[in-house]
């Protein structure tokens, strides 16, 4: 088997008629046992490809019983495929890295307002209704934040109203007690 990329022309018996590069005499005699020759002589196809002994070979039958053979070391034949595979892997890893970076940025954009809103709920739970929380953006989180701020203000107003009502009721009870003590009830 030849070790370099080679083209050669054989007749039906496997005798070399022409070779595109230099050849050792022993190799020229052994072409009738060459795997590519055996493959082409046992088929009715006019052309074909075969992988053998670390080579990739092709044949094409020509007129007058001649066949053109080409062989290339498999490693050399597959170099472009390997280079393309390396590029795909590299681009895939770059795409994956970019996707992870975007996911991180988007998740931070979502979680930071939610964490602030959670902290604000704790403050409201402790009685601080003067929560200073500004909605950012126009998304659902911003709408939720705005609703929370408005709810906090309404709760504060309701508590203030309730305190005012309680104060008025207390004053009414005091006034009623004073009136009862100062003015005796009419006797009938």
């Amino acid at each position: 088997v030849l070790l370099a990329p080679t083209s050669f022309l054989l007749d039906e018996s496997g005798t070399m008629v022409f070779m595109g590069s230099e050849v050792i005499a022993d190799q020229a005699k052994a072409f009738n046992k060459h795997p590519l020759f055996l493959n082409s002589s046992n088929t009715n196809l006019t052309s074909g490809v075969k992988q053998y002994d670390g080579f990739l070979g092709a044949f094409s039958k020509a007129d007058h019983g001649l066949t053109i053979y080409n062989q290339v070391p498999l490693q050399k034949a597959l170099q472009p495929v390997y280079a393309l595979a390396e590029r795909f892997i590299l681009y895939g890893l770059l795409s994956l890295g970019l996707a992870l970076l975007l996911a991180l940025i988007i998740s931070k954009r979502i979680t930071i307002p939610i964490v602030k809103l959670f902290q604000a709920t704790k403050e409201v739970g402790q009685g601080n209704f003067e929560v200073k929380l500004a909605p950012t953006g126009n998304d659902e989180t911003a709408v939720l934040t705005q609703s929370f701020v408005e709810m906090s203000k309404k709760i504060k107003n309701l508590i203030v109203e309730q305190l005012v009502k309680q104060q008025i009721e207390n004053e009414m009870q005091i006034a009623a007690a004073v009136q009862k003590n100062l003015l005796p009830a009419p006797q009938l």
Side-chain angles (χ1 to χ4, degrees), residues 109-110 112-114 116 133-147:
R109 190 170 177 212
I110 292 171
I112 288 174
I114 291 174
K116 287 180 180 178
L133 192 61
T136 56
N138 295 326
D139 60 357
E140 293 83 2
T141 309
V143 172
L144 181 63
T145 302
Q146 183 62 38
S147 297

Side-chain angles (χ1 to χ4, degrees), residues 6-10 36-37 40-41 58-59 67-71:
T6 306
S7 298
F8 45 96
L9 185 64
L10 302 180
L36 193 54
F37 175 77
S40 68
S41 61
F59 68 90
T67 305
I68 303 168
Y69 296 90
N70 293 301
Q71 69 177 17

Side-chain angles (χ1 to χ4, degrees), residues 21-61:
S21 64
E22 231 177 90
V23 65
I24 300 172
D26 291 344
Q27 290 176 330
K29 294 176 188 174
F31 274 110
N32 61 352
K33 294 180 182 169
H34 192 279
L36 193 54
F37 175 77
L38 295 173
N39 187 49
S40 68
S41 61
N42 293 330
T43 183
N44 291 332
L45 297 174
T46 58
S47 63
V49 177
K50 179 172 176 63
Q51 180 182 337
Y52 61 93
D53 300 330
F55 284 88
L56 184 62
F59 68 90
S60 179
K61 293 181 181 179

